Amino acid sequence: MDSSKVLIVGSTGYIGTWITKACLASSRHQTFLLTGPTTHASIHKLPLLLSYKQEGATLVEASLDDHESLVSLLSGIDYVISAIAENQIEQQLKLVRAIKQVGTIKRFLPSEYGVDPDFMEHSIAPGSVLFEQKRKVRRAIEESGIPHTYVIAHCFAGYFLSGLASFGRFWPPAAKVQIYGDGNHKVVWMVEEDIGKYVVKAMDDVRTLNRTIYVRPPSNIKSQMEVVNLWEALSGKTLQKEHITEQQWLQNIQDENLPWELRHAFSIFYHIFFEGVIMSFPINHDNEASSLYPEESVHNVNIWLNTLRLEATLKMIKTDFFAKNSLRCHQNS
Ligand SMILES: NC(=O)c1ccc[n+]([C@@H]2O[C@H](COP(=O)([O-])OP(=O)(O)OC[C@H]3O[C@@H](n4cnc5c(N)ncnc54)[C@H](OP(=O)(O)O)[C@@H]3O)[C@@H](O)[C@H]2O)c1
């Protein structure tokens, strides 16, 4: 069987790394990675790129700004997956133009993976900008007649679950946790490795052609309070709950003295945790990834939190060990 050729844009990024690993692990595809020139600023990505190369990827140095070379690169490609950065979403319009000109790409998956932008027309600034840009890219794809799939993956575990959704925390809090309102809106928490696998599965599946696919396994639908309760049961510690009101959160979003990026993230948190937008609309079974691919196992929230607990215990033991040994060193010196 001839393997198909997949081009990934953004392979060194946060979610792009997991999509690339999943693509390389699938023997059905040849993986091509669009990379920029290695510069002083990007040299730290070299080991990752070399590890991809060892796994069989072909690195292609190209720029979205160079239309002619992009068209020539795409001429030999079957599928394009983008995981481009949030602040570069509109750059994908250049990719859309080139894909349209080539005319042979079987599927394009633009950089999405969060909340469905078509359900975010009411969203508040500054987070609304991201959804507007993602909608703009969607409409350009559809108007160009490009075969596509949009993958909605909700809340990444590393960004949201690791800190129990406490803003700016990426490790479970030891004493106090921020709770948004009553913390009862349902959220979907997804482990990045699973998202990568579903993206690659959906890419060439006839059932997902020109559709939006939601990664919403029932085991991973939990409210923030449920996640906090699970963590407390696993860790054996009760956390102090600092309930934040909707009013307080809205004031943070509107506070122009705060950096734009922070207010942007606050507004996305607002829609997820105060409005409960993720579960505010029903979806069909045949649009849900774990129903489409029952053969794939999913890391459920309990398992992931338990891994985190073991890591946290290990970290505590290590810290304790090093603290004691450094004390001994001091005492001996
Ligand atoms: N659901 C969630 O919880 C969640 C969380 C975060 C992000 N997301 C979504 O996931 C998507 C990807 O975000 P991310 O945080 O994974 O991205 P990221 O870590 O910022 O990585 C972005 C990637 O895009 C590449 N890139 C940036 N500008 C480029 C350009 N002009 N041309 C080609 N490549 C370029 C970067 O490569 P270089 O560094 O080499 O330029 C990097 O590989 C976004 O749509 C975002 O909204 C969702």
Side-chain angles (χ1 to χ4, degrees):
M1 189 182 73
D2 277 352
S3 58
S4 49
K5 294 182 177 163
V6 183
L7 177 73
I8 302 179
V9 178
S11 65
T12 57
Y14 183 80
I15 198 62
T17 302
W18 292 102
I19 296 171
T20 305
K21 284 181 183 172
C23 199
L24 286 167
S26 160
S27 52
R28 295 185 300 120
H29 309 298
Q30 285 179 54
T31 310
F32 294 78
L33 308 176
L34 185 143
T35 64
T38 302
T39 61
H40 187 254
S42 66
I43 195 142
H44 62 285
K45 298 194 174 179
L46 207 53
L48 179 62
L49 288 170
L50 291 176
S51 74
Y52 289 153
K53 205 168 156 53
Q54 275 174 345
E55 295 290 317
T58 304
L59 311 186
V60 191
E61 196 176 307
S63 163
L64 299 184
D65 290 323
D66 183 347
H67 181 72
E68 292 313 320
S69 32
L70 199 55
V71 166
S72 132
L73 165 62
L74 288 169
S75 302
I77 295 291
D78 299 301
Y79 300 97
V80 180
I81 301 178
S82 169
I84 207 165
E86 228 162 65
N87 60 4
Q88 299 287 310
I89 293 296
E90 286 191 318
Q91 289 297 311
Q92 295 177 112
L93 295 171
K94 296 171 183 164
L95 203 47
V96 170
R97 204 174 129 234
I99 292 175
K100 183 180 178 188
Q101 183 171 331
V102 172
T104 51
I105 299 297
K106 294 178 185 155
R107 200 80 66 92
F108 175 40
L109 285 72
S111 185
E112 291 258 351
Y113 320 118
V115 178
D116 189 336
D118 278 336
F119 284 89
M120 298 304 289
E121 294 212 24
H122 66 291
S123 59
I124 49 179
S128 53
V129 174
L130 174 67
F131 302 117
E132 272 164 33
Q133 292 177 345
K134 286 188 173 177
R135 283 198 297 273
K136 194 168 168 184
V137 171
R138 281 186 175 198
R139 300 298 88 87
I141 292 170
E142 292 153 14
E143 279 156 25
S144 306
I146 295 170
H148 58 272
T149 300
Y150 307 136
V151 178
I152 297 304
H154 308 111
C155 294
F156 294 173
Y159 273 77
F160 291 89
L161 195 53
S162 58
L164 312 179
S166 258
F167 192 85
R169 273 203 74 97
F170 303 100
W171 196 251
K176 190 163 81 174
V177 60
Q178 282 181 335
I179 304 286
Y180 306 102
D182 57 13
N184 286 335
H185 279 300
K186 296 282 186 187
V187 175
V188 184
W189 320 78
M190 283 307 304
V191 172
E192 293 76 357
E193 185 183 350
D194 298 333
I195 298 171
K197 283 194 285 189
Y198 285 135
V199 168
V200 173
K201 284 254 170 186
M203 175 184 74
D204 60 349
D205 184 343
V206 286
R207 298 171 299 173
T208 63
L209 178 64
N210 296 340
R211 287 167 84 167
T212 302
I213 298 305
Y214 299 87
V215 185
R216 207 193 258 192
S219 63
N220 290 31
I221 303 171
K222 297 210 180 301
S223 69
Q224 189 196 9
M225 270 314 278
E226 285 171 327
V227 163
V228 170
N229 292 341
L230 262 173
W231 176 255
E232 288 179 331
L234 284 168
S235 65
K237 285 190 190 141
T238 304
L239 297 172
Q240 187 193 331
K241 320 285 182 306
E242 184 196 6
H243 288 268
I244 302 167
T245 66
E246 186 169 348
Q247 204 49 41
Q248 282 170 318
W249 201 253
L250 284 168
Q251 272 166 13
N252 287 339
I253 298 169
Q254 283 147 11
D255 185 349
E256 293 194 356
N257 294 317
L258 293 174
W260 187 90
E261 290 75 14
L262 203 59
R263 293 170 48 230
H264 170 88
F266 282 155
S267 50
I268 292 175
F269 266 62
Y270 174 80
H271 290 291
I272 295 173
F273 294 103
F274 284 102
E275 187 195 351
V277 74
I278 288 180
M279 295 300 292
S280 64
F281 54 93
I283 56 167
N284 293 330
H285 259 300
D286 51 1
N287 282 1
E288 198 280 311
S290 69
S291 300
L292 284 167
Y293 311 110
E295 69 281 9
E296 288 294 338
S297 57
V298 183
H299 293 83
N300 70 34
V301 171
N302 306 31
I303 290 174
W304 202 84
L305 283 178
N306 200 31
T307 311
L308 205 61
R309 180 186 66 83
L310 295 174
E311 287 281 336
T313 312
L314 204 63
K315 193 171 156 185
M316 209 173 68
I317 293 168
K318 276 190 199 156
T319 314
D320 199 38
F321 173 84
F322 288 122
K324 278 183 187 146
N325 279 285
S326 93
L327 192 67
R328 260 189 227 126
C329 288
H330 283 301
Q331 283 164 350
N332 293 342
S333 59

